Amino acid sequence: MKLIYAVIDGMGDLPIEELGNKTPLEAAETPNMDFLAKTGKTGLMYTVGKGIAPESDVAVISILGYDPFKYDVSRGALEALGAGLTMKDGDLALRCNFATLGLGNKIIDRRVGRKLTTEEATELAKAINEQIKLESFPATFQFKNTLSHRGALVIRSKEKKLSGNITNTDPAYTRIKGIGVAEPEAKMILKKCKPLEKTEEAKISADLVNEFTQKSIAILDEHEVNKKRVREGKLKANVILIRDAGHRLPKFPHLNQLYGLSFVCLADMPVERGISKLAGMHMVDLPPPSNNLEKDCKLRVEKLLETLSCHDCFYIHIKGPDEPGHDGNFNLKTQLIATVDKHFIGNMLQKINVEDHVVCVTADHSTPCKLRAHSDDPVPLLISGNKIQADEVQRFSERECKKGELGVLSHGTELMPKLIMYLKRGQ
């Protein structure tokens, strides 16, 4: 008996008038997820908790069974680990975005219109690492771009431990009780980093972030990559937005030890890979996401089948629908959900015997197209396969899953124990 746990990033949404008052999931052709819903149990889940619009890291930590309010979690530390940067306790790690800055510190686009290539970002990162020296306090840094506009930064000092208790320069996210939360109503103005506590470590850390930000603006604005982009009518990548600072990695008990089962991660984004490493999962190498979701889905099925006989539980993260949610592109989001259904779920179901598996499909959070940001809305959830008795739900959607026997899970931490219960019941 195996557990296949598929998390489709940002799949949840709200009804959209142009889609006939359906969500993208309701509007999409999803015969394979509908089959699993029809033959299993369904429900809804607040991945972190009601009233919290979580970032992906906090949501994934929660739906893997760890309470994000109990552990010292920060997106910065997780991104740094996933990006392959070295981080020790007392180093300052931050999640970064290349963005476009205009007059008056106005942020024109938080992601450079999603048109910055990884190759361009690599050139810009090289210039930053070579040309910036931090002088407000004796410290060094390493900045690494990951995919497209994304990156991670680690600042370290031999003289003093640094503190992650500082604010974001990225206005789209704030911090509540130490975790990152989306700010859908935020004004798009570059913020100054400030200490969140009255300690020398927090003040020094905020000063270093502000120094790095201003010095990187000067270098990026005049870089040949950006001059070329301007000549081509493209947005400049002339500022680095920083958020979710952390000064230590969380120490999660390993899932393998908690449940006596072997866990595997199939994910390609740095933060999900970082979390999975800390959870003690076996890591399957995947290339970065391509612009071809069909290809990425087929590769996951291929890698799943290669490792299926060697392990017990498979956590599979698929990025697809989240980005068009952030861009407000409901037609593309609908299309990508259908692509995941056909080329991941459908392809997988052709290759396995569902009765020998527990299959869970859900999302890490909702990314409603009309908000263009994460929301606190619950996500649809299905658990199928083995001898799980079906409820009355016939389709996989937010509206239908509300009627399911699983009810509404008030916290994502409730899901993993439930999945393990179904798995062990079938063994």
Side-chain angles (χ1 to χ4, degrees):
M1 189 64 56
K2 311 282 184 178
L3 168 64
I4 297 172
Y5 180 15
V7 176
I8 304 171
D9 202 317
M11 177 172 58
D13 214 300
L14 298 169
I16 295 167
E17 190 177 338
E18 293 90 337
L19 294 178
N21 227 28
K22 295 179 178 179
T23 69
L25 177 58
E26 284 181 300
E29 289 290 324
T30 56
N32 299 294
M33 288 191 278
D34 292 345
F35 165 77
L36 290 171
K38 196 182 299 186
T39 55
K41 293 191 186 300
T42 60
L44 294 174
M45 172 174 63
Y46 289 97
T47 59
V48 176
K50 197 169 184 178
I52 297 171
E55 288 197 59
S56 294
D57 61 317
V58 177
V60 168
I61 286 165
S62 183
I63 63 176
L64 288 177
Y66 302 107
D67 183 349
F69 294 105
K70 177 181 175 183
Y71 295 93
D72 188 3
V73 300
S74 83
R75 180 75 177 262
L78 298 168
E79 288 277 354
L81 177 66
L85 294 174
T86 302
M87 184 196 172
K88 305 191 302 291
D89 284 1
D91 292 345
L92 183 67
L94 307 110
R95 162 67 199 264
C96 303
N97 268 25
F98 282 104
T100 305
L101 189 68
L103 296 175
N105 278 342
K106 182 180 179 183
I107 298 166
I108 295 166
D109 195 293
R110 289 186 58 255
R111 305 177 184 89
V112 201
R114 293 198 192 275
K115 301 293 185 185
L116 184 69
T117 68
T118 301
E119 292 72 23
E120 287 174 319
T122 301
E123 279 193 59
L124 295 173
K126 183 172 183 287
I128 286 166
N129 285 312
E130 289 176 353
Q131 296 177 40
I132 293 179
K133 304 294 180 203
L134 295 174
E135 297 166 310
S136 59
F137 190 80
T140 59
F141 74 90
Q142 187 177 6
F143 173 70
K144 185 173 181 180
N145 64 298
T146 52
L147 180 72
S148 182
H149 57 273
R150 303 169 183 87
L153 171 67
V154 174
I155 302 175
R156 49 185 73 90
S157 171
K158 289 182 180 177
E159 296 192 11
K160 188 175 284 290
K161 288 189 175 182
L162 301 176
S163 170
N165 293 315
I166 56 177
T167 62
N168 300 336
T169 67
D170 185 343
Y173 294 92
T174 190
R175 307 184 77 183
I176 296 175
K177 296 181 182 177
I179 70 168
V181 177
E183 278 269 39
E185 304 296 323
K187 289 183 180 178
M188 285 297 109
I189 301 292
L190 177 67
K191 289 190 170 184
K192 191 171 182 180
C193 183
K194 298 176 182 177
L196 285 169
E197 60 184 17
K198 292 181 179 179
T199 64
E200 190 182 4
E201 291 85 353
K203 181 184 181 304
I204 289 167
S205 299
D207 288 346
L208 286 167
V209 166
N210 290 325
E211 182 186 1
F212 175 86
T213 300
Q214 292 306 313
K215 287 185 172 178
S216 59
I217 290 170
I219 288 166
L220 293 171
D221 210 49
E222 294 301 315
H223 196 283
E224 189 54 43
V225 163
N226 278 321
K227 288 180 178 178
K228 184 180 179 213
R229 289 180 64 84
V230 170
R231 289 196 297 270
E232 294 171 351
K234 297 175 182 174
L235 293 172
K236 282 185 177 183
N238 62 347
V239 68
I240 294 172
L241 302 180
I242 287 169
R243 70 182 197 257
D244 301 326
H247 56 263
R248 69 171 72 94
L249 288 165
K251 293 176 173 59
F252 298 136
H254 286 185
L255 291 172
N256 301 2
Q257 295 164 350
L258 284 172
Y259 298 113
L261 297 164
S262 173
F263 281 75
V264 176
C265 166
L266 287 92
D268 47 22
M269 298 299 287
V271 70
E272 283 81 22
R273 290 184 66 81
I275 293 165
S276 299
K277 285 179 185 177
L278 292 172
M281 294 191 202
H282 172 77
M283 305 299 294
V284 172
D285 285 334
L286 287 175
S290 69
N291 290 323
N292 185 335
L293 184 59
E294 177 182 334
K295 176 184 163 189
D296 293 347
C297 286
K298 287 179 175 177
L299 179 62
R300 277 166 171 72
V301 175
E302 183 184 310
K303 294 289 187 181
L304 170 65
L305 295 173
E306 283 175 9
T307 54
L308 197 56
S309 62
C310 308
H311 301 278
D312 304 306
C313 304
F314 300 81
Y315 160 60
I316 302 153
H317 196 100
I318 301 172
K319 182 70 176 168
D322 183 56
E323 289 192 357
H326 282 288
D327 295 339
N329 190 339
F330 51 83
N331 286 322
L332 180 58
K333 184 170 181 177
T334 301
Q335 178 189 324
L336 293 184
I337 290 170
T339 299
V340 173
D341 182 80
K342 181 176 181 180
H343 296 290
F344 177 73
I345 305 291
N347 193 8
M348 177 187 72
L349 291 178
Q350 289 174 19
K351 307 285 175 58
I352 66 168
N353 183 348
V354 180
E355 292 184 1
D356 295 333
H357 299 79
V358 172
V359 180
C360 174
V361 181
T362 189
D364 50 356
H365 52 77
S366 290
T367 310
C369 291
K370 66 183 178 185
L371 294 181
R372 299 185 176 219
H374 299 183
S375 74
D376 70 333
D377 296 288
V379 298
L381 167 68
L382 72 81
I383 306 173
S384 192
N386 187 243
K387 296 170 183 172
I388 296 169
Q389 291 190 334
D391 56 25
E392 299 298 315
V393 170
Q394 299 294 297
R395 285 209 64 209
F396 186 57
S397 72
E398 298 88 346
R399 205 183 314 252
E400 288 299 305
C401 286
K402 193 174 183 180
K403 308 170 189 172
E405 279 185 23
L406 294 174
V408 181
L409 276 62
S410 58
H411 296 93
T413 51
E414 298 173 42
L415 179 57
M416 184 59 80
K418 196 177 290 287
L419 296 178
I420 300 302
M421 176 196 73
Y422 282 120
L423 181 65
K424 293 193 170 179
R425 185 186 288 175
Q427 288 178 337

